[in-house]
Amino acid sequence: VQCTVIIPAAGKGKRMKHDKSKQYIEIDGKPILAYTIDAFEKCDEIQNIILVVGKEEVDYCRKEIVEKYKFQKIIAILEGGKERQDSVYEGIKKVPEDSDIVLIHDGARPFVGAEQIKQTIDNGIRYGACVLGVKVKDTIKVVDDDNNIVDTPNRNNLWAIQTPQTFKKELITLAYQKAQNDNYCATDDSMLVEKYLDIKIKMVEGIYSNIKITTTEDLVIAKNFIHQ
Ligand code: CTP
Ligand code: MG
């Protein structure tokens, strides 16, 4: 089984409010994005890595990340688009013909482990589509536009989704093509499969440490994970 991972890392990290995009913030002298790539570089199941970055960062990523850390599996460094979905779509178009499975993993999610990567590949092969997630710890409320509570869904059925989200290549390619044609914008990859394809998507139980670095609090947590 041939597996390609697309790593979207073309965002600006607005919620981090840092002078550079959050994926380039260094922890112990190493950019967050390099930790993320490391996880896939070390995973034997992965053959190819496609990196999608901002237009201005292509050269920096080639020299200061791919060459500096001697990553061997990077087959393309592409320019991303306006939304995450546009960036991922650029990657989808460059997945090698012989890949069976496509994983999509946030550049800002550096603590994914080989075990979780393997589990999503296994489930992707078996079911065609799966996402990694964890049971929510907090009670979740649905509110209206005036912040009045309208519903409290049963927590047992609520999961916070992570990445990788992992698919058979033909399925995710078709879902993305349809969405881009429709100008339909989703908040995660599996939503496109939910909307356009009539297949079941498996939830794979992940680990709470697989956080997406989003706000400054997450940097404090990230430093601790790296030092433990
Ligand atoms: N991403 C991307 N292209 C975009 C927007 C986001 O490749 N146009 C990537 C980000 O770089 C990140 C992942 O998608 O690795 C998840 O997105 P998110 O956490 O929302 O990152 P940002 O969009 O950069 O952050 P913010 O929403 O706070 O601006
Ligand atoms: Mg964003």
Side-chain angles (χ1 to χ4, degrees), residues 55-147:
K55 190 177 176 189
E56 312 299 324
E57 275 97 42
V58 175
D59 282 341
Y60 165 84
C61 284
R62 183 179 300 114
K63 291 192 193 89
E64 296 301 321
I65 295 188
V66 178
E67 287 174 12
K68 180 168 173 185
Y69 294 97
K70 301 190 167 57
F71 292 128
Q72 302 297 311
K73 296 183 181 173
I74 310 268
I75 57 163
I77 306 174
L78 309 174
E79 265 176 42
K82 191 165 174 285
E83 304 294 334
R84 179 186 183 279
Q85 189 174 317
D86 303 312
S87 299
V88 172
Y89 190 53
E90 291 306 311
I92 299 248
K93 290 188 272 187
K94 292 286 190 283
V95 172
E97 201 57 45
D98 67 353
S99 288
D100 309 292
I101 294 290
V102 175
L103 299 83
I104 302 169
H105 182 77
D106 297 322
R109 208 180 279 277
F111 302 118
V112 63
E115 187 54 40
Q116 287 78 50
I117 297 170
K118 281 179 203 161
Q119 272 185 299
T120 72
I121 292 172
D122 289 346
N123 281 277
I125 294 168
R126 189 154 171 196
Y127 301 105
C130 72
V131 310
L132 201 60
V134 285
K135 292 176 182 160
V136 299
K137 298 181 192 179
D138 298 318
T139 293
I140 307 287
K141 300 280 186 186
V142 180
V143 298
D144 63 18
D145 292 339
D146 297 321
N147 279 3

